[in-house]
Amino acid sequence: MTTLKNPEPVDVVIVGAGAGGATAAKVLTEAGLRVVGLERGPWLKPEHASGDELKFLNRNFIWQDPKLKPRTYRQNDSEDAVITNFSATPQVVGGGTTHWGGMVPRMTVNDFRLRSLHGDVEGASLVDWPISYDDLEPYYTRVEWEFGTSGLGGANRWEGRRTRDYPTKPAPLSQIGRKFATAMDKMGHSTFPMPQGMVTEPYRGRKPFSENGFWQQYPDPGNGKSSTLISFIPDAINTGLYDLRSDCYVSEILVDKTGKATGVRYQDENGNEFVQNAKAVIVCGGGIETPRLLLMSKSALFPDGLGNGSGQVGKNATFHQYSFSVGLFDKELHDPLYGWSGHYMNLCSFDFYETDESRGHILGSLIFPSMLGHPVNWSFPGRPTWGQAAKDADRELFNYSMKIGILLHDLPVESNRVDLDPTVKDAWGLPVARITHTPHQNDFAQEKWQVKKNGEILEAAGASKIVPVNMERITGNTSHELGTARMGNDPANSVVDKWCRSHEVPNLYVFDASFFPTATGINPALTIMANAWRCADRIIAVDRHGWTD
């Protein structure tokens, strides 16, 4: 490792260039602030994308390498943690928005006030958010229009007020979408077009998304599928004030003797170490890597980790387990579903989202149908795995299968947490993140009920064979990491305030899903971006005037 001359100081250094980091970079640079972005992964351009399933799915090309960047997991404190690839979020410029399915529904009004609705839930650390739906609504709208989305305003009867429709119309229904809609209508339930991070019409120089089901877990070689890689990052770069450095690994947030953040220490891809000084630091590494970085940033002033006087950094972790029911349809009775044709999840329902305690649990989830994986690596109980029989199964069974999935709206539990593993190190010699997590009993009850209900929907759709896929534990299979730097008004039980600013370090911010006080039953990306925009506006209007060099 060689130490070279440090780069010039800037106004803000942002750790991470995903949903939160890229949004903040766009807003701050367009207001005239000089920003450096440090992303630990590579900068892949759309031309690096391809339809190579082996490369992207089986070899996990854009996902972190567990040999270089492992994590450890245990269910509770009495177990030994084992090395795992838990929640292997893509670490590339654009973050999770480079690979995602692009689901962008808004949180509901009630999502912000779960403590008021349900009171104390035994074993859980349920709280209200210090902000409301109305605080985020203008920013939801800005992101939907600036980022590029599709949907139908007013179609979701559970959604809060909206001031503007989506900029492009919903995607056409796929065969799977039609099958789902017919079954739901038969059962007396409602559906609506899935709000999606893509454009379905020419929009701001972008061509419509190529309506196929293969772009989950792939970068899009075009520009129809929205990501911060093709939207907010170019917007920030075009200001001339955003210096984005990829393959840079931040190991510490630095502070001065007064407790203010002064910048970060990082290594570039060649192992050269630098200090990037800045007037403010925004951390957007995700709900696992952000608390890890804060806990590694120890000093005489912060012996337990930066901004961790409350002891809450890393606690209250939730992970949105994905569970589903699988249906197989008799080809003699049904037309093929062709899951690869059309966007792979273009219809959904919120009918089971709000609490109905007659189900035996509180909370609920968005549900949506989709194809069963990809033809190269899909699975179904009893499917042959080799030779001509496997090829026949791929040809015959894949086109007659579908699943209905949920994103578990899991309860926060204080002891479910991310901390530093005391023995396991990564390739840089730094302690890795250790995840300790046991689902709350409400999580099991909610997941079991909804997966069974999804099976009933598949039965109504005409499936001849139905298989529920229930969880035994949280596996981190959604890459949604929430709650580990909780937002709140009380410094005693939260990490950041309602502007996502550290209670203890006045120029340190957290803009990824770590700030979520509670989870949701939907994908968090839209809310991450909307909140980052909201908090960046506050920095521009108020905070920056109090910063000193």
Side-chain angles (χ1 to χ4, degrees):
M1 181 179 69
T2 303
T3 301
L4 303 176
K5 183 179 179 181
N6 290 326
E8 293 184 0
V10 293
D11 293 312
V12 180
V13 59
I14 302 176
V15 181
T23 305
K26 167 186 167 64
V27 178
L28 295 175
T29 55
E30 288 181 346
L33 275 66
R34 290 184 303 150
V35 175
V36 163
L38 299 173
E39 169 57 53
R40 71 188 301 188
W43 194 340
L44 303 176
K45 306 297 173 64
E47 56 266 27
H48 295 137
S50 73
D52 187 340
E53 291 99 337
L54 291 175
K55 175 180 178 180
F56 285 98
L57 294 177
N58 294 53
R59 297 172 188 155
N60 297 326
F61 177 65
I62 64 173
W63 305 76
Q64 67 189 49
D65 186 336
K67 294 181 179 179
L68 300 176
K69 305 171 184 175
R71 289 166 176 169
T72 63
Y73 166 82
R74 60 184 182 171
Q75 294 188 86
N76 53 62
D77 292 355
S78 64
E79 290 186 355
D80 292 329
V82 297
I83 294 177
T84 180
N85 209 21
F86 190 101
S87 192
T89 309
Q91 296 180 349
V92 293
V93 171
T97 68
T98 59
H99 83 94
W100 63 337
M103 298 159 56
V104 291
R106 298 181 175 194
M107 289 173 58
T108 68
V109 172
N110 285 340
D111 279 336
F112 294 86
R113 52 194 188 101
L114 296 181
R115 173 67 174 73
S116 293
L117 290 173
H118 302 295
D120 287 325
V121 176
E122 184 177 357
S125 52
L126 206 58
V127 294
D128 287 341
W129 289 45
I131 61 173
S132 69
Y133 177 89
D134 286 341
D135 292 321
L136 273 187
E137 199 285 328
Y139 296 98
Y140 277 143
T141 299
R142 289 188 194 181
V143 171
E144 287 165 354
W145 281 78
E146 289 288 314
F147 190 64
T149 57
S150 60
L152 182 62
N156 176 10
R157 64 192 181 95
W158 304 101
E159 186 179 66
R161 69 175 183 87
R162 68 164 44 241
T163 53
R164 200 175 186 187
D165 202 346
Y166 292 92
T168 67
K169 63 187 179 184
L173 270 184
S174 65
Q175 290 293 89
I176 284 177
R178 290 189 180 92
K179 185 74 75 174
F180 178 67
T182 299
M184 290 288 281
D185 184 65
K186 180 179 178 181
M187 299 175 71
H189 300 306
S190 68
T191 60
F192 66 96
M194 174 74 80
Q196 293 172 349
M198 66 182 194
V199 296
T200 58
E201 306 166 79
Y203 185 71
R204 297 186 175 180
R206 294 169 55 185
K207 295 181 179 179
F209 181 67
S210 58
E211 289 292 331
N212 71 78
F214 291 126
W215 293 114
Q216 163 73 346
Q217 300 187 26
Y218 294 79
D220 183 0
N223 59 12
K225 182 177 176 179
S226 298
S227 71
T228 57
L229 177 66
I230 67 165
S231 57
F232 291 172
I233 288 171
D235 289 346
I237 290 172
N238 288 340
T239 66
L241 297 172
Y242 184 41
D243 180 1
L244 177 55
R245 304 170 195 161
S246 58
D247 295 298
C248 289
Y249 196 158
V250 177
S251 59
E252 183 182 6
I253 301 169
L254 304 170
V255 295
D256 63 18
K257 61 183 180 181
T258 70
K260 290 184 178 179
T262 60
V264 300
R265 188 187 311 279
Y266 72 96
Q267 288 184 32
D268 68 11
E269 61 182 324
N270 298 314
N272 300 313
E273 186 173 277
F274 298 94
V275 169
Q276 176 62 63
N277 288 311
K279 298 176 183 177
V281 176
I282 301 175
V283 189
C284 304
I288 292 177
E289 294 303 319
T290 284
R292 177 185 177 222
L293 178 58
L294 294 174
L295 293 171
M296 288 195 300
S297 300
K298 297 180 180 180
S299 64
L301 287 175
F302 301 100
D304 298 319
L306 190 58
N308 193 30
S310 64
Q312 290 293 302
V313 170
K315 294 184 178 180
N316 308 296
T318 59
F319 295 105
H320 266 178
Q321 183 76 9
Y322 176 61
S323 298
F324 51 93
S325 287
V326 175
L328 188 65
F329 295 80
D330 189 332
K331 66 179 182 179
E332 305 300 328
L333 300 175
H334 297 270
D335 292 330
L337 295 174
Y338 298 133
W340 42 266
S341 178
H343 193 277
Y344 88 109
M345 45 184 183
N346 59 12
L347 205 67
C348 61
S349 178
F350 263 60
D351 278 13
F352 312 108
Y353 193 90
E354 298 289 350
T355 292
D356 179 348
E357 296 194 21
S358 68
R359 302 172 191 155
H361 61 268
I362 62 170
L363 310 182
S365 172
L366 164 77
I367 69 168
F368 52 94
S370 69
M371 65 180 180
L372 199 59
H374 294 68
V376 76
N377 70 347
W378 77 291
S379 62
F380 192 86
R383 170 185 174 263
T385 58
W386 186 254
Q388 187 62 46
K391 293 179 181 179
D392 291 342
D394 289 346
R395 186 177 300 109
E396 298 297 329
L397 298 182
F398 177 81
N399 284 330
Y400 293 90
S401 66
M402 64 180 278
K403 63 184 176 183
I404 301 176
I406 74 167
L407 292 176
L408 178 67
H409 190 163
D410 42 341
L411 281 174
V413 175
E414 186 171 317
S415 59
N416 287 340
R417 65 192 186 277
V418 175
D419 62 5
L420 302 180
D421 193 286
T423 58
V424 181
K425 304 288 193 293
D426 66 12
W428 289 259
L430 298 171
V432 305
R434 176 175 63 179
I435 294 93
T436 302
H437 192 284
T438 295
H440 191 278
Q441 286 305 307
N442 190 79
D443 301 348
F444 284 116
Q446 179 194 150
E447 190 254 10
K448 184 177 180 180
W449 186 93
Q450 190 62 67
V451 168
K452 182 176 183 294
K453 175 60 69 174
N454 290 354
E456 293 171 4
I457 298 167
L458 287 167
E459 183 178 12
S464 56
K465 186 174 183 179
I466 298 166
V467 178
V469 182
N470 292 102
M471 70 173 183
E472 296 179 1
R473 61 176 179 84
I474 295 290
T475 61
N477 66 356
T478 65
S479 301
H480 299 169
E481 312 150 359
L482 307 97
T484 51
R486 168 178 276 188
M487 175 173 64
N489 293 324
D490 186 352
N493 55 30
S494 59
V495 178
V496 296
D497 66 15
K498 70 176 184 178
W499 301 107
C500 289
R501 181 176 63 179
S502 167
H503 288 301
E504 301 174 56
V505 185
N507 60 340
L508 173 67
Y509 304 81
V510 174
F511 281 6
D512 56 48
S514 303
F515 81 85
F516 279 50
T518 56
T520 66
I522 59 171
N523 286 40
L526 178 70
T527 297
I528 294 170
M529 291 187 282
N531 184 70
W533 199 315
R534 179 185 71 91
C535 295
D537 270 358
R538 166 75 178 195
I539 286 174
I540 294 163
V542 180
D543 291 9
R544 65 169 172 169
H545 302 297
W547 295 341
T548 56
D549 294 324

